Amino acid sequence: MIAPAAALPWAGLLPGRDGSLSPPMQILLLLTLLALLPAVIVSITPFLRIVVVLHFLRQALGTQSTPSNQVLVGLALFLTLLIMQPVAAEMYERGWAPMARGQLPAEQALREGVQPLKTFLLKFAREKEVRLMVELAHAPAPRTPADLELRVLIPAYILSELRVAFQIGAVLFLPFLVIDLVVASVTLSIGMIQLPPVMLSAPFKVLLFVLVDGWTLVVGSLMRSFY
């Protein structure tokens, strides 16, 4: 004899007759999203571009581990929250809030909730990377950018952000590279062969960076690049 659905141990996980998720399923879904949250923050937010540029900047300054990784990650995280706050608020208002009030079923709420994220990703995903991901996924060509699936859009966005971050990092390296070359030429010309040029150029690079208010310039340029 087959047990009724209410007697099954997983009955509480089944959706209700109105299509809404049961509380245990909502808790399970929330815990799953929380487990994926670090990967989401790192890959599909401005955190990716910001933290890569900050690491390039530290390497260009030649200050080894100063600022520390924790400081750079913390700065990148708070700057990311500042940029993504309107997007997250719109996702909540269009997806989670109507589902919590019972106005939308879970599937429709998910579709509505990811639309602001897709709009944000489309702003920064290059067409070349999007075409590559569509080809690799063997997906049909979308009629409009809004028809792109997240499985195609997310890796295209990541590749685009890495490209931009490396471009910015290369530009940041140039002035400090000039200082290194000048100091190395001077030390060789006066016969200071055994003294590493990096030891002499590091104070000049830090001094130059402080005099031009480098942190404000770099962070301001990064933030404006997302607006």
Side-chain angles (χ1 to χ4, degrees):
M1 180 178 180
I2 301 176
L8 296 175
W10 56 84
L13 300 177
L14 299 176
R17 294 184 178 180
D18 58 352
S20 61
L21 293 177
S22 61
M25 180 58 74
Q26 292 182 12
I27 294 174
L28 179 62
L29 180 61
L30 180 60
L31 292 177
T32 303
L33 292 177
L34 288 176
L36 296 175
L37 186 60
V40 171
I41 292 176
V42 169
S43 58
I44 63 174
T45 65
F47 182 91
L48 176 61
R49 181 190 303 187
I50 295 172
V51 77
V52 171
V53 170
L54 292 179
H55 277 280
F56 266 111
L57 176 61
R58 187 177 66 180
Q59 293 295 323
L61 285 171
T63 54
Q64 303 301 324
S65 59
T66 304
S68 64
N69 289 333
Q70 291 83 351
V71 173
L72 295 183
V73 170
L75 177 60
L77 179 60
F78 282 107
L79 293 177
T80 301
L81 292 177
L82 185 63
I83 297 172
M84 294 299 294
Q85 190 273 332
V87 179
E90 187 178 356
M91 292 175 64
Y92 175 82
E93 292 297 331
R94 294 182 59 175
W96 184 268
M99 186 184 70
R101 293 193 296 264
Q103 298 174 351
L104 290 178
E107 184 177 353
Q108 185 178 354
L110 180 61
R111 287 198 303 267
E112 292 294 329
V114 300
Q115 288 305 316
L117 179 62
K118 291 180 65 175
T119 302
F120 174 82
L121 297 179
L122 282 170
K123 289 181 181 179
F124 304 102
R126 296 174 66 229
E127 183 180 353
K128 182 177 181 180
E129 277 75 15
V130 172
R131 287 201 303 265
L132 174 63
M133 290 302 123
V134 170
E135 179 183 349
L136 294 178
H138 301 288
R143 292 176 295 179
T144 63
D147 296 333
L148 286 170
E149 301 178 5
L150 282 178
R151 68 189 180 102
V152 170
L153 191 55
I154 288 176
Y157 169 81
I158 294 174
L159 291 178
S160 301
E161 286 295 282
L162 286 174
R163 179 180 180 273
V164 173
F166 273 70
Q167 286 179 335
I168 298 174
V171 173
L172 286 175
F173 254 103
L174 291 179
F176 302 109
L177 179 61
V178 171
I179 295 177
D180 285 333
L181 291 175
V182 171
V183 172
S185 299
V186 172
T187 54
L188 289 175
S189 64
I190 62 178
M192 301 174 61
I193 301 177
Q194 298 192 11
L195 181 63
V198 178
M199 294 182 61
L200 294 177
S201 63
F204 291 103
K205 291 191 290 187
V206 173
L207 181 61
L208 173 65
F209 190 70
V210 172
L211 289 177
V212 300
D213 201 6
W215 287 111
T216 302
L217 290 175
V218 172
V219 172
S221 299
L222 275 174
M223 296 296 286
R224 282 190 289 270
S225 68
F226 289 102
Y227 293 103

